Amino acid sequence: MKQTRFFFVYLLLLIVQICIFNYFRLSQFVVLSILPVMVLLIPIRNSTTTAMIIAFLSGLAVDFLSDGMLGLSSLSLVPVAFCRRSIIRLVFGSEVLARGEDLSIQKNGIPHILTGVIISTALFLAIYIWADGAGMRPALFNLIKFAASLTLSSLISVFITRTMTQDDR
């Protein structure tokens, strides 16, 4: 039941991300993305390879169904999936991986969740903005875009965490 709920919530949030990319472009300085938190919260029992495949397909779907450059989200999201276990080990401790328990605000607390979200979103945005600009935009523009996007995406992603996770206690 828990796996099925996660799958449907993930698909719903994927549709939300597609709508964000299509209809809610705030400015040229902000890339609003909830994809990194979605990948970070893939259940621990899934391997890194599975997470990378899910990330690739998710990024491809978002790019194909929105007005983005095909492959840009996948290019940025697969490294997040690759580093997912390392981020979890760094922020939440290796006990979480050893026990195989999923992440949630109730179990791990907002400071830990926010830290994990910021790291995964920063990795995603660094690659996304670098690849999207392809050396054509000034460094100051890219830094402003990175800071604004990281701030807004991270704050929204913390709320997404509550939607994607359930407390088992």
Side-chain angles (χ1 to χ4, degrees), residues 71-133:
L72 184 59
S73 294
S74 292
L75 173 73
S76 307
L77 201 54
V78 169
V80 174
F82 180 74
C83 296
R84 181 177 68 102
R85 287 188 177 267
S86 299
I87 294 169
I88 291 170
R89 188 174 293 113
L90 175 72
V91 175
F92 303 99
S94 57
E95 305 85 34
V96 172
L97 292 173
R99 286 183 287 213
E101 62 185 34
D102 296 330
L103 305 177
S104 73
I105 289 177
Q106 295 82 5
K107 290 178 190 173
N108 305 107
I110 291 177
H112 285 104
I113 292 290
L114 183 60
T115 304
V117 164
I118 287 172
I119 292 170
S120 61
T121 305
L123 176 60
F124 174 84
L125 288 172
I127 297 168
Y128 189 94
I129 292 170
W130 173 77
D132 187 38

Side-chain angles (χ1 to χ4, degrees), residues 1 28 62 65 95 132 140 155 160 169:
M1 179 67 182
Q28 63 180 353
V62 167
L65 297 172
E95 305 85 34
D132 187 38
L140 183 60
L155 291 175
I160 295 298
R169 293 185 281 173

Side-chain angles (χ1 to χ4, degrees), residues 1-12 38 41-47 50-51 54 84 100-103 163-166 168:
M1 179 67 182
K2 189 174 178 182
Q3 184 79 8
T4 305
R5 180 190 181 283
F6 180 85
F7 176 73
F8 285 120
V9 171
Y10 190 93
L11 284 180
L12 180 66
M38 292 168 55
L41 295 176
I42 291 173
I44 299 290
R45 64 186 159 279
N46 291 316
S47 69
T50 303
I54 292 169
R84 181 177 68 102
E101 62 185 34
D102 296 330
L103 305 177
T163 304
M164 289 187 75
T165 59
Q166 277 184 306
D168 291 337

